[in-house]
mmCIF file of all heavy atoms in Angstrom:
data_model
loop_
_atom_site.group_PDB
_atom_site.id
_atom_site.type_symbol
_atom_site.label_atom_id
_atom_site.label_comp_id
_atom_site.label_asym_id
_atom_site.label_seq_id
_atom_site.Cartn_x
_atom_site.Cartn_y
_atom_site.Cartn_z
ATOM 1 N N ALA A 78 49.045 84.835 129.749
ATOM 2 C CA ALA A 78 50.504 84.739 129.705
ATOM 3 C C ALA A 78 51.001 86.118 129.327
ATOM 4 O O ALA A 78 50.567 86.755 128.416
ATOM 5 C CB ALA A 78 50.996 83.717 128.762
ATOM 6 N N THR A 79 52.049 86.641 130.114
ATOM 7 C CA THR A 79 52.674 87.952 129.838
ATOM 8 C C THR A 79 53.663 87.863 128.674
ATOM 9 O O THR A 79 54.429 86.952 128.677
ATOM 10 C CB THR A 79 53.324 88.426 131.097
ATOM 11 O OG1 THR A 79 52.217 88.597 132.079
ATOM 12 C CG2 THR A 79 54.023 89.776 130.900
ATOM 13 N N CYS A 80 53.625 88.802 127.742
ATOM 14 C CA CYS A 80 54.555 88.732 126.635
ATOM 15 C C CYS A 80 55.209 90.128 126.469
ATOM 16 O O CYS A 80 54.528 91.112 126.336
ATOM 17 C CB CYS A 80 53.761 88.553 125.283
ATOM 18 S SG CYS A 80 53.108 86.824 125.257
ATOM 19 N N ALA A 81 56.598 90.073 126.600
ATOM 20 C CA ALA A 81 57.278 91.341 126.530
ATOM 21 C C ALA A 81 57.835 91.638 125.124
ATOM 22 O O ALA A 81 58.128 92.813 124.772
ATOM 23 C CB ALA A 81 58.542 91.305 127.445
ATOM 24 N N ASN A 82 57.894 90.549 124.247
ATOM 25 C CA ASN A 82 58.403 90.862 122.867
ATOM 26 C C ASN A 82 57.823 89.903 121.900
ATOM 27 O O ASN A 82 57.110 88.967 122.281
ATOM 28 C CB ASN A 82 59.979 90.861 122.825
ATOM 29 C CG ASN A 82 60.483 89.472 123.282
ATOM 30 O OD1 ASN A 82 59.761 88.533 123.642
ATOM 31 N ND2 ASN A 82 61.849 89.512 123.370
ATOM 32 N N ALA A 83 58.238 89.945 120.610
ATOM 33 C CA ALA A 83 57.627 89.106 119.575
ATOM 34 C C ALA A 83 58.037 87.647 119.785
ATOM 35 O O ALA A 83 57.260 86.696 119.552
ATOM 36 C CB ALA A 83 58.115 89.585 118.220
ATOM 37 N N ARG A 84 59.280 87.386 120.377
ATOM 38 C CA ARG A 84 59.776 86.067 120.689
ATOM 39 C C ARG A 84 58.695 85.427 121.624
ATOM 40 O O ARG A 84 58.447 84.212 121.531
ATOM 41 C CB ARG A 84 61.149 86.123 121.323
ATOM 42 C CG ARG A 84 61.688 84.829 121.814
ATOM 43 C CD ARG A 84 62.368 83.971 120.710
ATOM 44 N NE ARG A 84 62.652 82.671 121.259
ATOM 45 C CZ ARG A 84 61.983 81.591 120.982
ATOM 46 N NH1 ARG A 84 60.768 81.626 120.319
ATOM 47 N NH2 ARG A 84 62.344 80.418 121.565
ATOM 48 N N ALA A 85 58.256 86.182 122.583
ATOM 49 C CA ALA A 85 57.346 85.639 123.614
ATOM 50 C C ALA A 85 56.021 85.237 122.915
ATOM 51 O O ALA A 85 55.424 84.150 123.209
ATOM 52 C CB ALA A 85 57.021 86.750 124.623
ATOM 53 N N VAL A 86 55.566 86.120 121.903
ATOM 54 C CA VAL A 86 54.304 85.702 121.252
ATOM 55 C C VAL A 86 54.505 84.513 120.414
ATOM 56 O O VAL A 86 53.644 83.626 120.284
ATOM 57 C CB VAL A 86 53.748 86.895 120.459
ATOM 58 C CG1 VAL A 86 52.547 86.571 119.617
ATOM 59 C CG2 VAL A 86 53.459 88.105 121.325
ATOM 60 N N GLU A 87 55.689 84.396 119.810
ATOM 61 C CA GLU A 87 55.975 83.192 118.986
ATOM 62 C C GLU A 87 55.896 81.884 119.883
ATOM 63 O O GLU A 87 55.332 80.880 119.480
ATOM 64 C CB GLU A 87 57.422 83.267 118.342
ATOM 65 C CG GLU A 87 57.423 84.118 117.147
ATOM 66 C CD GLU A 87 58.871 84.602 116.838
ATOM 67 O OE1 GLU A 87 59.847 84.124 117.413
ATOM 68 O OE2 GLU A 87 58.963 85.412 115.917
ATOM 69 N N ARG A 88 56.454 82.115 121.145
ATOM 70 C CA ARG A 88 56.370 80.877 122.031
ATOM 71 C C ARG A 88 54.924 80.595 122.443
ATOM 72 O O ARG A 88 54.510 79.410 122.531
ATOM 73 C CB ARG A 88 57.197 81.204 123.250
ATOM 74 C CG ARG A 88 58.775 81.177 122.946
ATOM 75 C CD ARG A 88 59.543 81.649 124.215
ATOM 76 N NE ARG A 88 59.315 80.852 125.354
ATOM 77 C CZ ARG A 88 59.523 81.255 126.643
ATOM 78 N NH1 ARG A 88 59.949 82.485 126.851
ATOM 79 N NH2 ARG A 88 59.286 80.467 127.650
ATOM 80 N N ALA A 89 54.183 81.731 122.621
ATOM 81 C CA ALA A 89 52.721 81.503 122.927
ATOM 82 C C ALA A 89 51.969 80.818 121.866
ATOM 83 O O ALA A 89 51.158 79.978 122.128
ATOM 84 C CB ALA A 89 52.077 82.821 123.219
ATOM 85 N N LEU A 90 52.343 81.093 120.617
ATOM 86 C CA LEU A 90 51.661 80.521 119.447
ATOM 87 C C LEU A 90 52.010 79.066 119.311
ATOM 88 O O LEU A 90 51.134 78.222 119.011
ATOM 89 C CB LEU A 90 51.992 81.333 118.159
ATOM 90 C CG LEU A 90 51.317 82.657 117.958
ATOM 91 C CD1 LEU A 90 52.043 83.485 116.922
ATOM 92 C CD2 LEU A 90 49.825 82.378 117.583
ATOM 93 N N ALA A 91 53.370 78.741 119.571
ATOM 94 C CA ALA A 91 53.767 77.396 119.466
ATOM 95 C C ALA A 91 53.050 76.537 120.503
ATOM 96 O O ALA A 91 52.605 75.393 120.173
ATOM 97 C CB ALA A 91 55.269 77.291 119.649
ATOM 98 N N ASP A 92 52.823 77.031 121.703
ATOM 99 C CA ASP A 92 52.059 76.281 122.722
ATOM 100 C C ASP A 92 50.633 76.148 122.359
ATOM 101 O O ASP A 92 50.065 75.114 122.530
ATOM 102 C CB ASP A 92 52.257 77.019 124.063
ATOM 103 C CG ASP A 92 53.565 76.709 124.681
ATOM 104 O OD1 ASP A 92 54.272 75.784 124.196
ATOM 105 O OD2 ASP A 92 53.928 77.388 125.729
ATOM 106 N N LEU A 93 50.050 77.231 121.632
ATOM 107 C CA LEU A 93 48.640 77.166 121.284
ATOM 108 C C LEU A 93 48.523 76.055 120.215
ATOM 109 O O LEU A 93 47.579 75.175 120.197
ATOM 110 C CB LEU A 93 48.201 78.491 120.724
ATOM 111 C CG LEU A 93 46.726 78.839 120.651
ATOM 112 C CD1 LEU A 93 46.115 78.720 121.988
ATOM 113 C CD2 LEU A 93 46.507 80.172 120.005
ATOM 114 N N ASP A 94 49.428 76.041 119.276
ATOM 115 C CA ASP A 94 49.427 75.077 118.183
ATOM 116 C C ASP A 94 49.538 73.650 118.755
ATOM 117 O O ASP A 94 49.032 72.639 118.254
ATOM 118 C CB ASP A 94 50.571 75.303 117.098
ATOM 119 C CG ASP A 94 50.266 76.529 116.383
ATOM 120 O OD1 ASP A 94 49.163 76.931 116.238
ATOM 121 O OD2 ASP A 94 51.305 77.098 115.749
ATOM 122 N N ALA A 95 50.327 73.508 119.843
ATOM 123 C CA ALA A 95 50.454 72.197 120.502
ATOM 124 C C ALA A 95 49.316 71.853 121.378
ATOM 125 O O ALA A 95 49.297 70.790 122.118
ATOM 126 C CB ALA A 95 51.803 72.162 121.307
ATOM 127 N N GLY A 96 48.259 72.758 121.483
ATOM 128 C CA GLY A 96 47.098 72.451 122.246
ATOM 129 C C GLY A 96 47.200 72.752 123.715
ATOM 130 O O GLY A 96 46.354 72.288 124.543
#
Side-chain angles (χ1 to χ4, degrees):
T79 295
C80 291
N82 63 359
R84 173 84 188 98
V86 178
E87 284 162 5
R88 291 172 58 202
L90 284 164
D92 283 348
L93 200 61
D94 289 340

